[in-house]
Amino acid sequence: MVSKSLILMTLSALVISFAKAYDPSPLQDFCVAIDDPKNGVFVNGKFCKDPKQAKAEDFFFSGLNQAGYTNNAVKSNVTTVNVDQIPGLNTMGISLVRIDYAPYGQNPPHTHPRATEILVLLEGTLYVGFVSSNQDNNRLFAKMLHPGDVFVFPIGMIHFQVNVGKTPAVAFAGLSSQNAGVITIADTVFGSTPPINPEILAQAFKLDVNVVKDLEAKFKN
């Protein structure tokens, strides 16, 4: 007869295995993503081409030497290099971004639901930080970065970067997912489609309902 403790241990192991929040480890050398499923195998969001048909271009991207366009509302630009740009990243659990900031530009508060981010500053001066979860009393972890400094944003945590200098800033960041995803807080809350009922947001943010309506108008997609 199977003991109760063994059953509980088995159930716990199953729960842990199903609750993994990271990209799965690859089971082959590579799994180059293709859009045509006719002769492919579906793996974690992408189909894989025949490995014998893989070529160097499947693992290559050019252009991160070029500054991104920052003449926009937030005065920053994120150039993403994930599985959509490099199909050879499929199943590899890693991606990269270049972030350009105009003077006083920012990468607004956002989260990556599927990745931890490690950022290195190459040029300029950034004020960066993340906020821990409710269980940790929403503590702010913030730091002023100078060229050569590195900062880590844990998976799922709301974080931001702000260029506090009078000159442009440039950073590169690695993410622990082939497609980390991004949820920009203001865009998501005030710019959803269809809009969230303003009275709900007014109560949640302790704002006048007319203020919420104005914010929703500004962030409307």
Side-chain angles (χ1 to χ4, degrees):
M1 183 176 180
V2 179
S3 68
K4 183 177 179 179
S5 60
L6 181 58
I7 293 175
L8 290 173
M9 289 175 61
T10 303
L11 288 174
S12 298
L14 285 172
V15 169
I16 291 172
S17 66
F18 285 126
K20 284 186 66 178
Y22 303 92
D23 292 353
S25 298
L27 300 176
Q28 63 287 314
D29 287 350
F30 42 78
C31 180
V32 176
I34 57 171
D35 294 324
D36 182 5
K38 185 169 67 173
N39 296 314
V41 178
F42 187 74
V43 178
N44 193 27
K46 296 288 184 179
F47 289 91
C48 302
K49 69 162 62 175
D50 183 341
K52 295 183 178 62
Q53 302 300 317
K55 51 189 178 181
E57 286 74 16
D58 294 327
F59 305 91
F60 174 78
F61 176 86
S62 180
L64 286 189
N65 59 314
Q66 300 175 7
Y69 180 78
T70 59
N71 187 18
N72 51 47
V74 295
K75 299 182 179 179
S76 72
N77 182 277
V78 179
T79 303
T80 302
V81 184
N82 62 23
V83 67
D84 293 327
Q85 287 75 41
I86 301 182
L89 285 176
N90 194 35
T91 77
M92 297 299 173
I94 193 170
S95 58
L96 178 72
V97 298
R98 168 180 172 145
I99 314 173
D100 290 279
Y101 314 80
Y104 309 112
Q106 64 173 268
N107 192 6
H110 63 281
T111 73
H112 300 296
R114 295 180 291 275
T116 291
E117 175 181 350
I118 182 167
L119 178 145
V120 57
L121 181 61
L122 299 186
E123 300 176 12
T125 305
L126 291 182
Y127 176 67
V128 307
F130 69 88
V131 180
S132 64
S133 64
N134 295 1
Q135 290 78 11
D136 192 52
N137 298 315
N138 305 121
R139 290 192 294 156
L140 172 64
F141 295 79
K143 196 77 175 175
M144 197 73 72
L145 300 188
H146 303 282
D149 290 344
V150 177
F151 199 82
V152 173
F153 306 104
I155 184 171
M157 300 291 99
I158 294 175
H159 59 283
F160 61 88
Q161 304 108 33
V162 181
N163 180 2
V164 295
K166 297 180 180 180
T167 60
V170 181
F172 281 76
L175 300 118
S176 60
S177 172
Q178 68 181 42
N179 186 5
V182 61
I183 301 172
T184 306
I185 307 305
D187 291 341
T188 302
V189 174
F190 297 107
S192 67
T193 305
I196 300 172
N197 187 312
E199 294 184 359
I200 294 175
L201 295 180
Q203 182 178 0
F205 286 91
K206 297 179 174 60
L207 296 172
D208 183 272
V209 68
N210 290 319
V211 173
V212 173
K213 290 179 179 178
D214 182 58
L215 287 169
E216 288 189 325
K218 290 178 178 178
F219 285 93
K220 185 177 180 180
N221 291 322

